[in-house]
Amino acid sequence: MGLMVQEFKKVGVVGLGTMGAGIAEVFARAGFDIVGVEIDQAALDRGRGHVDKSLSRAVEKGKLTEEERSEIDARFTFSASREDLADVDFVVEAVPERMDIKRDVFGDLDRICAPGTILATNTSSLSVTEIAALTDRPEKVVGLHFFNPAPVMKLAEVITTVSTTDETVDVVTEVAKRIGKTPITVGDRGGFVANALLVPYINDGIRLYERQIATREEIDESVKKAAGLPMGPLTLADLVGLDVCLAVMDVLWEEFHDPRYSASPLLRRMVAAGRLGRKTGQGFYKGKDDAPESRRTGRLAQMVREEETLDIGEMLIAAQIDDAMRMIGDGYASAKDVDTALRFGCGYPKGPTELLEDRGAESVITTLVSMGEYSLTTIAVPAPLLMDRLPDVEDSEGHGGCACHGGA
Ligand SMILES: NC(=O)c1ccc[n+]([C@@H]2O[C@H](COP(=O)([O-])OP(=O)(O)OC[C@H]3O[C@@H](n4cnc5c(N)ncnc54)[C@H](O)[C@@H]3O)[C@@H](O)[C@H]2O)c1
């Protein structure tokens, strides 16, 4: 038997970059002692700098008092040696997304940490199962996938493998709750829940753009309007990083070989050209004083604009709803999981099944079918679960006796 969560005191975080620094902060704020490990002293100083900056900002914003801040500071130990992880109760790994680096780190963690210590990886796109198999304790290895920025985004995806024991899953789910996150627990599958629903939608936005159906501003604005999203897919792509988007598309493609998951050629070219979005200063947008694009005048764009059943925002949302309904249909995630993932991991005011509820299955299916007619999607047939939501003829004639269609 391993430790119960209540007995956890010390948490190791390996890699204090964009994600690791935020993850360490989240644990420290929840009262855990942290051993933050980096590759060398220079990286350690940078990692400490990330944490300092974030905590200072919280103090400035009045979200943290000076006193709380010094308590949090006191919980941190920084080290350039993994050997200092010998007495931690739980580890989160957040080193770069490369299997050779993960192999090196997990080999060491397995040797250094006590046999009962649970090891979690923050990987977005590598196989958690493969990472678990690098150790002699695969039953104690899980994915614990945070979202950027880790101190802000509430979602934590707990990824289990065929080897993970129920006890391990229970403990990690409990840990996630204790640090104030909203966990969803799913199996090890390409993109997990949030990225598998978000990135193909971003890719769809890029496809509409590259096929000159609309300008980047029209695409972004129409989705914001359709679903109340904080930003549109092209702005989001720039923020997430085009390289990250491409990597997720390629993982999904490798996993499923479904044409829906083939990366947009433009996305691939932009990554090849080094236009990765905000981090390189240029993606779909160039920055603040980038003038809006003029309207696209392609023949297909005209046809689409004239088609009543086609609204850019609704198209992108309909395809995402379809993806979600397939995921639910496959039994990979529940309706609640998919809604939680997009609400708490991606800032959606409503999740896909709620967006479906608002629109009704008929409207979503009509959009998908029209998209097919203009070859704007590779979805040939709407998801069975979506079709199943159509009110059947019997019901609408009043013979079905179904309470949900009652009323007037
Ligand atoms: N950036 C995101 O939005 C995001 C979101 C969710 C998950 N992730 C995942 O989190 C992980 C880390 O991503 P990131 O964006 O924080 O990367 P990053 O490059 O910002 O940080 C990685 C850190 O690991 C350190 N490092 C490298 N080798 C190391 C080693 N052998 N031992 C200890 N530290 C080492 C680096 O010095 C760096 O500080 C990846 O698996 C990534 O897929 C990233």
Side-chain angles (χ1 to χ4, degrees), residues 17-19 38-39 82 94-97 102 122 124 145-146 148:
T18 308
M19 293 306 292
E38 260 291 352
I39 188 99
R82 290 178 208 160
V95 299
E97 192 75 329
K102 306 282 189 199
N122 186 47
S124 299
H145 188 221
F146 290 87
N148 191 12

Side-chain angles (χ1 to χ4, degrees), residues 80-139:
S81 166
R82 290 178 208 160
E83 304 297 328
D84 288 331
L85 295 166
D87 64 345
V88 299
D89 304 312
F90 182 69
V91 180
V92 184
E93 165 276 314
V95 299
E97 192 75 329
R98 273 175 39 195
M99 201 43 122
D100 57 331
I101 303 181
K102 306 282 189 199
R103 182 177 301 119
D104 179 44
V105 168
F106 275 83
D108 267 5
L109 292 176
D110 200 27
R111 173 179 60 78
I112 294 163
C113 300
T117 303
I118 294 173
L119 310 177
T121 173
N122 186 47
T123 186
S124 299
S125 57
L126 298 173
S127 158
V128 177
T129 313
E130 265 180 57
I131 293 174
L134 298 171
T135 71
D136 288 332
R137 63 179 90 188
E139 73 286 355

